[in-house]
Amino acid sequence: MKQNLFVYNTLTRKKEEFKPLNAPHVGMYVCGPTVYSDAHMGNCRTYISFDLIFRYLTHLEYKVRYVRNITDAGHLEGDADEGEDKISKKAKLAKLEPMEIVQKYTVGFHEVMALLNILPPSIEPTATGHIIEQIELVKLILKSGFGYEVDGSVYFDVEKYNSTQDYGILSGRNLDDMLNNTRALGGQQEKHGKLDFALWIKAKPEHLMQWPSPWGNGFPGWHLECSAMSHKYLGDQFDIHGGGLDLIPTHHTNEIAQNVASCGKNPANYWIHTNMLTVNGQKMSKSLGNSFLPHELFSGNNHILNKAYSPMMVRFFMLQAHYRSTLDFGNEAMEASEKGFKRLMNAFSLLNELQPSGSTEVQIAPLIERCYEAMNDDFNSPVLIAELFEASRVINSVKDGKLKIDAENLDLLKSMMNTFVLDVLGLKDEQAGNDELPNVIDFIVKLRNEAKSNRDYATSDKIRDGLQKVGIQLKDGKEGTSWSKI
């Protein structure tokens, strides 16, 4: 039933069979947020995607150590070696301590992750909690000859590294192209080459976040942090390293260089990257004025979309696109996805009402097989969801008496839906737990029936139409009025 899993590896640019280094153990590192502002939609897309991967690997009975860091220092403006630390800058503007900024936005990040039903990682290390490990890593790179110190700062010598290794192995770019397309940056006069990047940065006296080191007071380079934390918790080499597509050209490229220089190994066997977000076909960005934050999407307080969407519906919408494809936000797509989500969860809610109905007219095993085929083809959640819609059709047909199912196939159907809807996709019925809803609806239906008895058809129709707008459909029949979620 559970065929071999294939994943697309950015490193080799092809799908490969997933073979863990030390099965059943799997090590996975995903670059976490820099906590100087609210979590953005790109964060949500990336971490929903890796939550899907984490959940599915766990379902396949792998013992996954999932490490996702918190960057709370060292990430400078422009993602380079110049400018102010993003967290320090925010702290100065707000007249707060940097760790107050870190605390506020880390808590906010966790709240958004919880709303989207994203499981916490196994370990969530912070950059500031691993300064010693980062200093030791710089020492190793200096010892290998690929690092050099200039006036309290330490840089990585990219051209020297590229003379023995392929610096662009992940991005597929060659060094000459990178050199020609690199603009001069501040502090360039200190560097041996234009592509050299900081491992340790000398701190100016006014810099709020700095630590003592063999090279003087300073702070770590952003790229160094992830190398040190992944190495501490997952070793020289592990199975999966992930993040957004935008991290490939510099951050992940530099991580590989640091690891090879320090221990001779590419840190991960499989590099997995999520694609970008667009809005009505345009890249989502603050500069274009078409971006919105998760809470603005959940509340409807944005100028892009016509209405608010619940966190579970947003999760479902994101999973309807493959993690390697562009995800486009637009009113039509969101509204269609909302209808699909309600249809799926409505069918799921009917499962416990179904009873065996004699000799089966449907075989569930092939449907389950196709669900595994979808997930084993590079975690293809859109195809999986299509198969779950087919399962929903079966559920509704059995419920309406149009299709017969025996006990064995009914058990398989229930197991399949619980496995793939709840455990793998991580969806949940947002009405679940609201035990009073059926009683409330029944009371409203009773009021409508009284209105009909009194020939107050205007009120009767108003109640029916109002319920339909909030996702409750009434059906009048010989045995009275029944209702269901749309």
Side-chain angles (χ1 to χ4, degrees):
M1 186 75 71
K2 302 176 185 177
Q3 313 94 334
N4 293 341
L5 170 63
F6 285 81
V7 302
Y8 182 85
N9 191 349
T10 307
L11 194 67
T12 59
R13 293 163 191 78
K14 63 182 181 182
K15 288 181 189 176
E16 299 176 350
E17 186 176 349
F18 182 64
K19 295 180 179 179
L21 288 165
N22 186 29
H25 300 280
V26 170
M28 181 168 76
Y29 186 91
V30 177
C31 292
T34 301
V35 283
Y36 72 103
S37 62
D38 292 310
H40 55 73
M41 294 308 301
N43 293 142
C44 297
R45 205 276 166 98
T46 294
Y47 304 131
I48 284 173
S49 299
F50 283 99
D51 186 58
L52 173 74
I53 292 170
F54 181 33
R55 286 171 177 274
Y56 188 60
L57 291 173
T58 301
H59 170 68
L60 295 181
E61 298 183 349
Y62 287 113
K63 300 180 186 302
V64 186
R65 176 177 290 175
Y66 175 17
V67 183
R68 187 187 68 208
N69 72 295
I70 294 288
T71 298
D72 57 354
H75 194 167
L76 304 186
E77 296 172 295
D79 299 346
D81 300 334
E82 63 173 351
E84 215 172 340
D85 182 292
K86 294 181 178 185
I87 291 165
S88 292
K89 182 177 180 180
K90 193 69 170 266
K92 285 178 184 176
L93 290 171
K95 296 182 180 178
L96 296 170
E97 283 290 327
M99 284 300 125
E100 287 181 274
I101 298 296
V102 166
Q103 178 72 5
K104 174 184 177 180
Y105 290 113
T106 300
V107 169
F109 170 73
H110 288 151
E111 287 173 350
V112 171
M113 295 299 101
L115 284 172
L116 291 166
N117 202 27
I118 294 171
L119 297 173
S122 315
I123 304 173
E124 192 172 53
T126 63
T128 56
H130 296 78
I131 298 297
I132 292 171
E133 288 84 354
Q134 291 166 71
I135 289 172
E136 292 304 310
L137 184 54
V138 175
K139 289 179 182 177
L140 286 174
I141 295 171
L142 283 168
K143 187 177 179 181
S144 73
F146 293 117
Y148 59 91
E149 189 236 336
V150 181
D151 190 27
S153 291
V154 182
Y155 296 99
F156 191 96
D157 193 326
V158 170
E159 290 181 62
K160 184 176 181 181
Y161 173 84
N162 195 69
S163 67
T164 60
Q165 303 288 334
D166 182 3
Y167 176 67
I169 189 171
L170 187 67
S171 66
R173 299 163 68 200
N174 66 56
L175 196 70
D176 289 339
D177 288 343
M178 287 188 259
L179 285 166
N180 291 334
N181 292 318
T182 301
R183 62 187 176 90
L185 299 172
Q188 195 72 59
Q189 67 276 9
E190 292 186 350
K191 299 179 181 180
H192 292 177
K194 287 200 296 183
L195 291 173
D196 293 359
F197 58 91
L199 300 169
W200 185 265
I201 302 169
K202 180 182 180 179
K204 295 176 182 177
E206 66 272 16
H207 195 89
L208 293 178
M209 304 174 80
Q210 53 180 286
W211 293 265
S213 80
W215 316 284
N217 281 6
F219 54 93
W222 173 42
H223 315 303
L224 184 79
E225 297 171 352
C226 284
S227 287
M229 288 183 279
S230 65
H231 183 269
K232 179 176 177 67
Y233 297 107
L234 299 174
D236 289 352
Q237 201 167 31
F238 48 93
D239 298 297
I240 296 170
H241 196 314
L245 205 63
D246 58 312
L247 297 179
I248 294 173
T250 52
H251 188 55
H252 286 170
T253 288
N254 291 344
E255 277 192 68
I256 290 174
Q258 289 166 162
N259 271 66
V260 173
S262 61
C263 70
K265 295 178 181 178
N266 186 316
N269 276 357
Y270 304 89
W271 288 80
I272 298 177
H273 293 93
T274 56
N275 211 325
M276 65 177 182
L277 303 180
T278 58
V279 178
N280 297 319
Q282 275 192 315
K283 184 178 179 181
M284 181 185 284
S285 71
K286 287 182 182 177
S287 60
L288 292 174
N290 66 352
S291 65
F292 43 81
L293 294 170
H295 67 82
E296 294 170 333
L297 182 56
F298 303 153
S299 67
N301 185 24
N302 66 80
H303 64 283
I304 307 292
L305 300 170
N306 292 336
K307 56 181 285 190
Y309 291 96
S310 69
M312 275 302 96
M313 187 268 142
V314 172
R315 182 183 176 101
F316 178 77
F317 173 71
M318 289 191 169
L319 291 171
Q320 277 194 296
H322 190 270
Y323 75 87
R324 284 195 291 115
S325 66
T326 302
L327 176 65
D328 187 60
F329 280 88
N331 284 305
E332 286 187 17
M334 295 287 286
E335 287 170 12
S337 188
E338 184 176 50
K339 288 177 182 175
F341 174 65
K342 288 180 177 178
R343 188 164 79 248
L344 177 64
M345 298 314 295
N346 186 46
F348 184 81
S349 69
L350 295 174
L351 272 174
N352 289 333
E353 298 178 23
L354 301 186
Q355 298 294 327
S357 51
S359 181
T360 193
E361 296 174 346
V362 60
Q363 296 293 328
I364 302 302
L367 191 53
I368 296 174
E369 184 95 9
R370 294 198 299 273
C371 288
Y372 280 109
E373 284 175 2
M375 286 302 294
N376 286 330
D377 182 16
D378 194 29
F379 313 104
N380 201 324
S381 55
V383 173
L384 170 62
I385 288 170
E387 297 297 348
L388 294 176
F389 279 143
E390 172 60 20
S392 299
R393 185 194 65 78
V394 170
I395 291 168
N396 289 321
S397 295
V398 171
K399 176 72 166 58
D400 293 341
K402 297 175 182 176
L403 198 63
K404 292 181 180 179
I405 192 168
D406 61 18
E408 181 182 355
N409 277 283
L410 181 56
D411 286 345
L412 285 174
L413 181 60
K414 290 179 178 179
S415 174
M416 168 193 158
M417 291 295 283
N418 278 290
T419 293
F420 288 104
V421 174
L422 301 183
D423 299 344
V424 175
L425 292 179
L427 299 171
K428 57 184 180 181
D429 189 346
E430 288 163 315
Q431 298 297 335
N434 185 357
D435 296 333
E436 296 305 314
L437 180 65
N439 293 334
V440 171
I441 301 298
D442 288 343
F443 177 69
I444 294 172
V445 168
K446 185 179 178 183
L447 291 178
R448 178 174 175 267
N449 288 338
E450 287 176 2
K452 284 175 71 178
S453 298
N454 295 329
R455 300 192 175 186
D456 183 0
Y457 299 117
T459 300
S460 170
D461 292 346
K462 189 175 182 180
I463 292 172
R464 181 198 63 209
D465 295 343
L467 286 174
Q468 185 149 359
K469 285 180 182 177
V470 296
I472 303 295
Q473 186 174 51
L474 301 184
K475 290 183 180 178
D476 294 319
K478 292 179 181 179
E479 297 179 2
T481 302
S482 62
W483 63 271
S484 62
K485 286 181 279 185
I486 301 172

